[in-house]
């Protein structure tokens, strides 16, 4: 094949493919960013323009300050009263709280569970991780109504706690499996060396096991954060009041009128994407470096 | 500090891995636990370290019962086969960790780390992480981590097995030197008889969870307690033949071979004769010697190993000088050095000649 395909041609083909894939993946994002920066007059311009002629931050300002200058609630629309834009910062905070809260619980529980499963001998220690993975394979829509009924009993509906606990339910099994697989790769000897060096079991865990497990913890955190941040289903079912919506549910309200303010909607989408994008950029290096270090044993 | 094992037993569920081990490791001596893999030697070491529970029996350090004590309360140090360095810590932190968790003042930690690093010649590596070190360097860090705390007892679990052959020879000598400098009781686990023979003051040979023999390397080599020890120690391994003792001779394949005079007490018994390859001699005498055909000649450098096939199919390995001129399929005659012969009971495998001599 090499004889018929000179290496320069193969390279060109490779780059062309990569460019196409990148274009497909990035275009919606770029378009959202572009729309969010356009004044109203340019949004529906024909032919469409990618780079706004006049850039404006009006949409962002409206979302972040809650002013309603661009959005007029339709009195006949499903949601009457204040504009969704007025709630944006509130929803953003709600999303942050449930994402961080559920991730913290998932990570603490799954790390300790994985430690126990890999370090102590008891009945079921080898089958539990696989069962937990099975739990993750069931679609979350199957969980949502039983969970909702439980939340009603616990009188937690329409509170952020219901979402935190709900997200723990769907992220914990996979986090636990991931941490279990990671902990298993940490040699028992380094912990035993710490015990002999004079550490208590807690010290050995905190000083030796945890730092070594960090790449696993980061991977599990990223997974849990993405699931919680992007969830729509649980937020839609568990929450009733505008004040308690998360971003994904709240942003849908921008559609529920006769008039859709695309500029505002796109600005909201960009702001929603931002935290996860920043998180990824910050942690990606650790993730790759960490997995490398974990994989190649001493 | 003397380490005493008192009828130690260990069971993993239904598997009985250590059976009634009674053993005293004399203070400040280098003692090796030697045996094939799966003989329980590492389990025994881990029990001394406190990493494995004792099913039955007691462990005493200098008279103090430590059977139920946590590893941290035993003042021991251990070098693991995999070195078990803390991957996230620099060499400096690795060395100082034991002192740090014991709340030693920082100045003392620093000076202890520097001192040990200098002895081990790793002072230029102190700010590197284990991942950036070679196998030999990691080995030294693992040793340093054990040395820095001045432990009473030094435990080593096959510390040289991950090194290449050349480095292993160098480290053998160095470990021995460190032992003499440190003046601590050292318990060393290996399956390599050469390591055991060259480094130890005493060797404890183990097999299938049972202590086979405890003694100096000379005793283990020259007076093996049973067939297992005799066959496990020595390279190339000892030859075994079956024969009947008749007076001071043993009759093998119808040939009477000389035995030491005190073997007469065993006259009439059917026994297993053990003879090391270097204790067999090629001879021109046809009488009183075993005839056989040379089936293999191996040159080892300074000597040759000759495999001789006897009538009846038994094979014997003979060690001769490298300049010995032996050809394949040639017929040779073998004699044994009578005072180097070992006799074992065929049922129990116990050495019988040795008991009489004692």
């Amino acid at each position: 094949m090499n004889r018929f395909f000179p290496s320069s041609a193969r390279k060109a083909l490779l780059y062309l493919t990569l460019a196409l894939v990148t274009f497909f993946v990035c275009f919606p994002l770029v378009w959202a960013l572009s729309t969010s920066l356009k004044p109203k007059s340019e949004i529906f311009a024909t032919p469409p323009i990618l780079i706004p002629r006049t850039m404006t931050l009006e949409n962002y300002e409206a979302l972040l300050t809650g002013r309603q200058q661009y959005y007029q609630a339709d009195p006949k629309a499903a949601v009457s009263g204040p504009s969704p834009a007025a709630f944006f910062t509130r929803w953003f905070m709600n999303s942050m709280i449930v994402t961080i809260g559920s991730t913290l619980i998932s990570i603490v529980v799954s790390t300790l569970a994985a430690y126990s499963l890999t370090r102590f001998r008891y009945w079921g220690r080898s089958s539990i991780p696989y069962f937990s993975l099975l739990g993750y394979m069931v679609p979350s829509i199957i969980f949502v109504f039983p969970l909702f009924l439980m939340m009603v009993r616990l009188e937690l509906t329409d509170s952020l706690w219901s979402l935190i606990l709900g997200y723990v339910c769907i992220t914990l099994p996979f986090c636990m499996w991931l941490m279990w697989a990671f902990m298993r790769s940490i040699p028992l000897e380094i912990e035993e060396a710490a015990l002999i060096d004079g550490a208590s079991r807690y010290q050995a865990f905190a000083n030796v096991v945890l730092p070594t497990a960090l790449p696993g913890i980061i991977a599990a955190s990223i997974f849990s954060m993405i699931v919680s941040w992007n969830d729509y289903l649980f937020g839609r079912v568990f929450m009733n009041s505008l004040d308690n919506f998360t971003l994904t549910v709240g942003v849908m309200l921008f559609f529920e009128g006769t008039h859709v303010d695309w500029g505002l909607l796109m600005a909201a989408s960009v702001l929603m994407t931002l935290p996860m994008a920043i998180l990824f950029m910050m942690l990606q290096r650790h993730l790759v470096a960490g997995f490398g270090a974990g994989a190649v044993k001493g | 500090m003397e380490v005493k094992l008192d009828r130690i037993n260990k069971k993993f569920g239904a598997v009985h891995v250590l059976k009634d081990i009674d053993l005293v490791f004399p203070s400040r001596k280098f003692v090796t636990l030697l045996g094939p893999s799966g003989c329980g030697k590492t389990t025994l070491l881990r029990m001394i370290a406190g990493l494995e529970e004792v099913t039955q029996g007691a462990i005493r350090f200098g008279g103090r019962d430590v059977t139920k004590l946590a590893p941290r309360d035993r003042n021991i140090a251990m070098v693991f086969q995999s070195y078990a360095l803390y991957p996230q810590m620099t060499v400096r932190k690795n060395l100082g960790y034991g002192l740090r968790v014991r709340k030693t003042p920082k100045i003392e930690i620093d000076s202890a780390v520097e001192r040990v690093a200098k002895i081990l010649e790793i002072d230029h590596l102190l700010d590197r992480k284990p991942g950036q070190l070679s196998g030999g360097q990691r080995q030294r860090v693992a040793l340093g981590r054990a040395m820095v705390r001045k432990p009473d007892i030094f435990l080593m679990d096959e510390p040289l097995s991950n090194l290449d052959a050349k480095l292993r020879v160098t480290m053998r000598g160095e470990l021995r030197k460190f032992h003499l400098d440190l003046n601590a009781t050292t318990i060393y686990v290996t399956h390599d008889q050469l390591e055991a023979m060259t480094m130890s003051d005493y060797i404890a040979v183990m097999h299938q969870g049972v202590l086979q023999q405890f003694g100096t390397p000379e005793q283990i080599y020259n007076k093996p307690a049973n067939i297992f020890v005799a066959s496990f120690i020595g390279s190339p391994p000892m030859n075994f033949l079956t024969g009947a003792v008749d007076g001071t001779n043993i009759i093998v394949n119808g040939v009477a071979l000389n035995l030491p005079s005190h073997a007469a007490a065993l006259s009439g018994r059917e026994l297993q004769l053990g003879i090391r390859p270097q204790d067999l001699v090629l001879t021109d005498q046809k009488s009183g010697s075993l005839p056989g055909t040379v089936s293999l000649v191996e040159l080892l450098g300074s000597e040759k190993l000759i495999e001789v096939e006897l009538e009846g199919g038994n094979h014997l390995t003979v060690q001769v000088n490298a300049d010995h001129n032996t050809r394949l399929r040639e017929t040779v005659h073998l004699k044994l050095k009578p005072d180097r012969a070992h006799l074992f009971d065929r049922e129990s495998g116990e050495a019988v000649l040795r008991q009489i001599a004692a």
Side-chain angles (χ1 to χ4, degrees), chain B residues 90-151:
Chain B
T90 58
V91 170
R92 188 188 300 280
K93 291 250 166 78
N94 260 287
L95 292 175
Y97 184 73
L99 297 172
R100 221 156 48 241
V101 289
R102 280 161 213 264
K103 304 238 156 50
T104 313
K106 198 173 174 308
I107 297 181
E108 278 178 46
I109 299 179
D110 288 345
S111 70
V113 167
E114 299 280 347
R115 179 180 55 83
V116 168
K118 212 159 265 157
I119 297 174
L120 291 169
E121 294 164 17
I122 48 172
D123 36 350
H124 59 294
L125 305 172
L126 283 175
D127 295 315
R128 293 209 199 155
K129 287 197 174 170
Q132 299 164 296
L133 304 179
S134 71
Q137 290 169 333
R138 280 179 213 184
Q139 166 76 58
R140 281 162 184 276
V141 177
L143 269 177
R145 191 172 60 181
M147 283 161 66
V148 83
R149 280 192 292 113
K150 301 201 175 119

Side-chain angles (χ1 to χ4, degrees), chain A residues 121 189-190 192-200 203 207-208 211-212 298, chain B residues 46 51 72 76 78 80 82 84-86 88 97-98 101-102 138 145 149:
Chain A
R121 284 181 197 152
E189 285 94 14
I190 63 167
E192 291 176 339
L195 291 178
I196 286 176
D197 256 350
S200 63
Q203 282 173 319
N207 302 342
V208 174
T212 316
Chain B
R46 290 170 56 82
L51 296 172
R72 60 194 299 209
I76 47 170
M78 184 158 167
F80 291 82
S82 59
L85 301 180
Y86 311 127
Q88 312 298 329
Y97 184 73
V101 289
R102 280 161 213 264
R138 280 179 213 184
R145 191 172 60 181
R149 280 192 292 113

Side-chain angles (χ1 to χ4, degrees), chain B residues 43 63 99 119 170 219 253 265 290 347:
Chain B
T43 307
L99 297 172
I119 297 174
T170 321
Q219 286 168 339
N253 280 1
L290 279 170
E347 300 279 303

Side-chain angles (χ1 to χ4, degrees), chain A residues 184-190 291-298, chain B residues 81-84 131 138 162:
Chain A
R184 240 177 12 155
S185 72
I186 300 176
L188 212 59
E189 285 94 14
I190 63 167
F291 273 130
V296 185
K297 201 189 136 191
Chain B
Q81 185 173 6
S82 59
Y83 314 139
R138 280 179 213 184
N162 287 345

